[in-house]
């Protein structure tokens, strides 16, 4: 099977993202030291969600993407950004613009989502963000599978996916198979 091809253009007029907040240095939201952007707005409403204050699409505040990029450039300890939430795919176009700029600066991008990799592939509106993501942590939080000992996830059903290898192989390539 040939790898997947989802190349699309990104609107360069995008300037802001609605967020619940930022964490400037985190070691629990992906590999390395990360700038974490908690996006605002989520449709999943998973029982037991770690961040229920991020669900309301009217909550949070707008932040300029250039300000996020400045935080990233000004901290030599950072390995990349993590898009968490909320669900960053609810603002896929804005987050894909940010992710593209982050990768152009030589940093990597981790994205959390309640959607599965397979669901993201079939919806064109999500493809640009997926294309600009290095590591995807997918799937809804399932309180019956809650496990605080596994890295970077809240429940065992969630997967850590190498997005580039998944596109090349035509199926999800798990980084941690647990």
């Amino acid at each position: 099977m040939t790898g997947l091809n989802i190349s699309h253009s990104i609107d360069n007029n995008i300037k802001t993202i609605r967020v619940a907040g930022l964490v400037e240095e985190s070691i629990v939201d992906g590999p390395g030291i990360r700038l974490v952007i908690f996006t605002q707005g989520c449709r999943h409403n998973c029982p037991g969600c770690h961040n229920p204050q991020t669900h309301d699409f009217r909550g949070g505040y707008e932040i300029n993407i250039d300000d996020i990029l400045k935080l990233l450039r000004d901290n030599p300890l950072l390995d990349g950004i993590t898009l968490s939430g909320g669900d960053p795919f609810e603002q896929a176009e804005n987050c894909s613009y940010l992710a593209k700029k982050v990768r152009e600066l030589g940093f990597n991008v981790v994205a959390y989502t309640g959607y599965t990799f397979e669901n993201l592939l079939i919806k064109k509106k999500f493809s640009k963000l997926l294309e600009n993501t290095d590591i995807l942590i997918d799937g809804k939080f399932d309180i019956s599978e809650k496990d605080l000992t596994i890295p970077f996830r809240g429940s065992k059903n969630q997967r850590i996916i190498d997005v580039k290898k998944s596109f090349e192989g035509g199926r999800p390539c798990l980084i941690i198979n647990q």
Side-chain angles (χ1 to χ4, degrees):
M1 181 175 187
T2 305
L4 303 170
N5 182 4
I6 60 165
S7 182
H8 300 280
S9 64
I10 293 176
D11 182 354
N12 287 321
N13 294 319
I14 295 170
K15 302 289 184 219
T16 64
I17 292 178
R18 179 164 288 279
V19 300
L22 306 176
V23 173
E24 294 188 28
E25 293 180 7
S26 170
I27 59 169
V28 298
D29 298 296
I33 302 174
R34 314 199 62 76
L35 171 64
V36 182
I37 296 99
F38 291 94
T39 61
Q40 186 70 39
C42 181
R43 299 178 199 285
H44 305 297
N45 296 310
C46 303
C49 174
H50 183 67
N51 298 324
Q53 72 281 6
T54 66
H55 293 180
D56 185 349
F57 284 85
R58 297 165 296 172
Y61 58 95
E62 295 283 328
I63 187 169
N64 192 302
I65 290 172
D66 288 338
D67 293 339
I68 296 172
L69 295 171
K70 182 175 183 342
L71 287 172
L72 184 63
R73 283 190 306 266
D74 289 351
N75 187 339
L77 299 176
L78 295 174
D79 295 293
I81 68 163
T82 295
L83 297 167
S84 188
D87 192 318
F89 283 87
E90 300 298 349
Q91 298 182 65
E93 192 168 0
N94 301 51
C95 287
S96 65
Y97 177 79
L98 170 61
K100 181 177 183 245
K101 294 296 184 185
V102 166
R103 293 175 87 199
E104 287 173 357
L105 292 172
F107 295 95
N108 59 57
V109 176
V110 172
Y112 284 78
T113 182
Y115 298 102
T116 64
F117 178 78
E118 293 84 354
N119 291 143
L120 296 174
L121 285 176
I122 60 175
K123 296 192 178 187
K124 185 176 179 180
K125 67 179 182 178
F126 297 143
S127 62
K128 291 183 280 185
L129 179 53
L130 192 57
E131 182 182 51
N132 286 293
T133 298
D134 297 290
I135 296 173
L136 181 75
I137 300 169
D138 81 338
K140 292 181 180 180
F141 172 73
D142 182 342
I143 198 161
S144 70
E145 302 225 21
K146 181 178 179 180
D147 186 340
L148 299 179
T149 66
I150 56 177
F152 311 132
R153 298 164 289 165
S155 59
K156 292 179 187 172
N157 61 300
Q158 295 171 310
R159 303 177 298 180
I160 302 175
I161 297 171
D162 182 319
V163 176
K164 182 179 178 187
K165 286 183 180 176
S166 298
F167 285 142
E168 291 169 356
R171 61 183 175 77
C173 179
L174 303 184
I175 294 175
I176 297 174
N177 195 4
Q178 181 179 10

